[in-house]
Amino acid sequence: MASIITVLMVVGMIVVVMLTTGRTVGAEQNVLNSIDSAGTRSIAIRADPDSGLTADVLDRIDGIEGIEWAAGLSAAVDATNSRVPGGAHVPVRLAYGADLERLGIPHESPLPGALVWESDQAAEQLGTPDFVGGVSIVDSGGSFGIGGRLEVPDFLRRFEPLALVPHPVDGDEPIAVLIVIATSPELVRPISETVVSLLGVEDASKTKVQTSEALADLRGLIDAQLRGFSRGLVIALLTLTALLVAVLQYGLVLMRRKDFGRRRALGASRALIVTLLLTQTAMLCVIGTGIGIGISLVMLAASGDPWPGATFTGALTVVAVNTTLIAAIAPAILASRREPINELRIP
């Protein structure tokens, strides 16, 4: 009976934690992912045409730790569908960078500097939904063949409709926009300051830095608040479960004191008694944790709530087992100290 009660207590604790804190963690991950998708790690530096900002800045910032991706864009020029003279205008930019594959542009262009990759919005305005044909520059009369579809991440949607021509970096090509993506929101401020110091422009007033620092701060605030609430609730539930397990194990020791006395009389050491009780408790806790997680996942799926993830679930399992074992240490030591002569004495 005591074993069944122990399993049921662990199951109850796991279910409560998964349906409260676990649900909160799942919602937290969705919220943070939503904020991240808005570009909390992006840094955009816009430069005037006479600022002197050139593509060689990409080489200077290449060694900065914490930069996930960087690219430079030239000033935009209007272009139209080569087959529709006088049609809708779409801005076309030259793109510089070593990792344009992130945008769907192959590492080695078949015709460097002669092909343009266009976004869905640009293709719709140009009337090239199949990404076949060419575009003509309105002012200069030059033209580019269409290389394919451009994948536009969230941090480039501000430039839509977007059409990019990948161009090799020679070093002195002027760029109008420098895009830098930090590896984490916390690095946006220090990286933006470092990048600005390496721009190589004579007049810093001709550049404008746009960062997602406000979003990054908001993300950190939400993350801290949600984590604080979740941590407090888990600690409270684990503490309550530990106290209940300790009381239950203490009652078990009292009920089985003659059994422990016989074991001691037959030569069982105190360490063996402690080991037996802790092993039994650990096995019951693992069984209860498995059942509790299974029930919780079914209930979360039925209610349409997000799963908190394997990391949270695994951590909860480890913490639950360790907490239960710690709670069982004192009753186990008490059982090991039972004297055989007292426990086996007939009243």
Side-chain angles (χ1 to χ4, degrees), residues 308-331:
T311 301
F312 175 84
T313 305
L316 177 60
T317 301
V318 173
V319 172
V321 173
N322 288 337
T323 301
T324 306
L325 286 176
I326 292 173
I329 289 177

Side-chain angles (χ1 to χ4, degrees), residues 205-279:
S205 65
K206 295 183 179 181
T207 61
K208 182 179 180 181
V209 181
Q210 297 175 332
T211 70
S212 53
E213 186 176 329
L215 278 176
D217 293 341
L218 175 62
R219 182 192 189 279
L221 178 62
I222 293 176
D223 188 17
Q225 290 179 342
L226 291 176
R227 287 182 183 275
F229 171 77
S230 302
R231 188 181 299 111
L233 185 57
V234 170
I235 291 174
L237 290 171
L238 288 175
T239 302
L240 177 60
T241 303
L243 291 175
L244 292 175
V245 169
V247 171
L248 183 64
Q249 291 297 318
Y250 180 75
L252 176 64
V253 168
L254 292 180
M255 289 188 298
R256 299 178 56 190
R257 62 183 185 275
K258 292 188 179 298
D259 178 47
F260 295 130
R262 284 193 295 268
R263 292 178 182 272
R264 292 281 286 118
L266 293 174
S269 64
R270 291 179 176 177
L272 179 60
I273 299 296
V274 172
T275 302
L276 288 175
L277 278 173
L278 293 182
T279 302

